[in-house]
Amino acid sequence: MHKCAVCSAADIEFLAQKNGYRYYRCARCEFIFLDPMPRQTELDALYVNPDKEAEPTYNKAGSRLRRAFAKLPRFYPYARGRDVLDLGC
């Protein structure tokens, strides 16, 4: 068993297995990692495979923008007639 890549602790515990990959967690810093790490050819097959249809993704930026505009009227009375630096960073 390898040491944690983040804090170098040797106290590693098995967490789960999914799709043939074994996940471990560091007991000290709680970093989760694969052991053994997949080879570059395996990663290429997962991420750069032109034959595999891409999974649909969630438009997180659009969702945040809609929520920000929905909340904007609440802040308008406080900002009207004043200089505003930032709303909801």
Side-chain angles (χ1 to χ4, degrees):
M1 186 66 51
H2 295 101
K3 292 182 179 180
C4 175
V6 174
C7 71
S8 299
D11 192 9
I12 305 297
E13 55 191 32
F14 176 75
L15 183 65
Q17 183 166 343
K18 184 174 182 181
N19 297 333
Y21 297 108
R22 295 174 61 90
Y23 293 84
Y24 293 88
R25 177 178 24 215
C26 173
R28 185 190 299 165
C29 71
E30 298 185 357
F31 178 66
I32 297 173
F33 60 95
L34 294 175
D35 189 41
M37 282 294 294
R39 286 180 263 157
Q40 188 61 47
T41 55
E42 293 176 71
L43 294 173
D44 289 344
L46 287 171
Y47 292 103
V48 191
N49 188 349
D51 299 330
K52 182 180 172 186
E53 186 175 317
E55 296 180 13
T57 58
Y58 177 69
N59 183 2
K60 191 182 290 187
S63 175
R64 287 182 180 159
L65 187 61
R66 283 190 299 278
R67 283 192 317 241
F69 275 109
K71 293 178 181 180
L72 196 55
R74 274 192 330 192
F75 295 103
Y76 183 73
Y78 301 106
R80 185 175 38 182
R82 296 185 178 107
D83 290 332
V84 177
L85 175 64
D86 187 25
L87 289 177
C89 84

